[in-house]
Amino acid sequence: MTPRPWLHGFLDLCLLAMLRERPDYGYGLAQRLAAAGVADIPGGTLYPALLRLEQQGLASPSWAPSESGPRRKYYEITPAGLAALQAQAAEWRAFRDGVDLLIGAPVR
């Protein structure tokens, strides 16, 4: 699956939603995005997004050992990240409903 140009607009939302479920590291998050059918996210897109979430205080990093190589940087959602997720999810639903109306899909 190729990256979609509009993915940048909702990548943070997807990352926060996955981090709400459990802390994870970059490659793990990329695999989960691909498994969900969102897109294959290149590292040059994913890691700047994770750094942005960290700098905004929406995700908190920590290092953990790995069984298969060097230690990994795990990200965990913060209380501010949860609040941002709720707000962004509401905006996404309104946007999705508007697009559904335009393309003739049933509104949820």
Side-chain angles (χ1 to χ4, degrees):
M1 188 180 316
T2 59
R4 298 172 180 104
W6 36 264
L7 177 63
H8 291 277
F10 64 90
L11 180 57
D12 290 4
L13 171 64
C14 293
L15 292 171
L16 289 172
M18 290 187 301
L19 293 175
R20 176 186 55 197
E21 294 175 15
R22 68 176 190 270
D24 211 343
Y25 61 103
Y27 184 69
L29 290 164
Q31 290 179 313
R32 290 167 64 191
L33 284 165
V38 174
D40 290 324
I41 307 297
T45 299
L46 178 65
Y47 291 101
L50 288 168
L51 179 60
R52 183 172 55 251
L53 293 177
E54 180 182 342
Q55 290 174 336
Q56 292 173 348
L58 304 180
S60 176
S62 63
W63 291 93
S66 168
E67 296 177 7
S68 62
R71 63 188 184 143
R72 295 178 175 160
K73 188 176 187 180
Y74 279 79
Y75 295 87
E76 183 174 359
I77 195 166
T78 64
L82 286 170
L85 173 59
Q86 290 177 335
Q88 290 178 23
E91 292 171 6
W92 167 254
R93 289 183 190 102
F95 174 77
R96 177 202 60 204
D97 289 348
V99 171
D100 283 349
L101 281 173
L102 292 172
I103 63 173
V107 176
R108 300 165 198 224

